[in-house]
Amino acid sequence: MAPPLLAFTIPVPALAVSGILLLGLSACTAEEAPAGDWTEPDWMANQAADRENFVLELQACMDGLGWDRAVDEYGGSPDPFFDAEEMSRFDSDKDGCLTQMGIDLEAVRSGPTVESLSTRYAQELDVRDCLIAQGIEMESEPPSEDEFIEEGLSSDDSGEAWWAYGDPAVIAAGPERNAELLTVCPEPWVFGAE
């Protein structure tokens, strides 16, 4: 049997994709927020419902096209494909559904902008403040917004870009703790600006 093909096919680095469609600038700074002073920003509070609605809408569209396959919050499928032609048809239908849902696929695939990276930076600071409020003692300081934007615009997907969950203290917390943290301090979502 041939190995399964991946169902997720948006070929843009996660940072670039996420930064493009995200919403909700916040007035954060790089300073650590005391645990008692942290307030969940709107983008974070709305994200779980937005993800659920996205999946429901995409699933209904794909079901309407005759697909008997689950979809995920990134526009892919958690089920493996064993046939390249089937995966290609799925991707084509999925792209049609995403377009019908109002997703600008060209913008998603074109890479980050200064504006999208500025939004992403503010959201990463929100996530960082949330992690601190959850008791994580961050080991590194975030870059300045200008440095973050410069890195995002010149990124070659080498994994060098800063993000809150990349802090050594968060990584050292381990997978179980990180799974818990993600439920309280979610990372910005790729289709978050619907």
Side-chain angles (χ1 to χ4, degrees):
M1 177 186 275
L5 302 169
L6 296 176
F8 181 73
T9 60
I10 296 178
V12 179
L15 175 64
V17 173
S18 299
I20 292 169
L21 294 176
L22 297 168
L23 148 101
L25 285 173
S26 66
C28 291
T29 67
E31 297 174 18
E32 294 187 9
D37 292 347
W38 185 78
T39 302
E40 183 179 45
D42 289 343
W43 74 265
M44 223 181 250
N46 298 331
Q47 188 167 255
D50 291 346
R51 286 177 185 216
E52 183 177 336
N53 290 335
F54 172 87
V55 169
L56 290 172
E57 189 175 348
L58 180 57
Q59 188 69 63
C61 182
M62 293 298 284
D63 290 350
L65 294 172
W67 286 96
D68 185 22
R69 173 179 285 278
V71 297
D72 63 27
E73 65 190 49
Y74 299 102
S77 176
D79 305 320
F81 286 89
F82 294 98
D83 180 316
E85 185 177 315
E86 179 188 35
M87 188 172 91
S88 179
R89 284 187 296 107
F90 178 87
D91 285 341
S92 179
D93 285 350
K94 172 202 63 181
D95 286 354
C97 287
L98 291 174
T99 300
Q100 191 175 3
M101 292 167 60
I103 305 283
D104 181 352
L105 294 176
E106 186 176 322
V108 171
R109 294 174 176 151
S110 68
T113 64
V114 170
E115 182 180 357
S116 69
L117 289 168
S118 180
T119 298
R120 178 62 184 242
Y121 181 74
Q123 290 175 319
E124 287 295 343
L125 291 178
D126 288 340
V127 173
R128 183 177 190 277
D129 289 346
C130 180
L131 292 168
I132 291 167
Q134 297 304 311
I136 299 294
E137 295 181 21
M138 304 300 265
E139 293 181 21
S140 59
E141 290 296 318
S144 70
E145 182 175 3
D146 289 340
E147 291 168 333
F148 182 84
I149 290 170
E150 182 179 330
E151 175 64 32
L153 292 174
S154 65
S155 179
D156 60 3
D157 199 25
S158 64
E160 298 294 322
W162 174 81
W163 84 106
Y165 273 92
D167 189 273
V170 180
I171 294 168
E176 284 184 27
R177 178 69 172 131
N178 272 270
E180 293 170 9
L181 290 169
L182 281 166
T183 64
V184 180
C185 307
E187 293 186 283
W189 174 50
V190 66
F191 294 116
E194 296 317 286

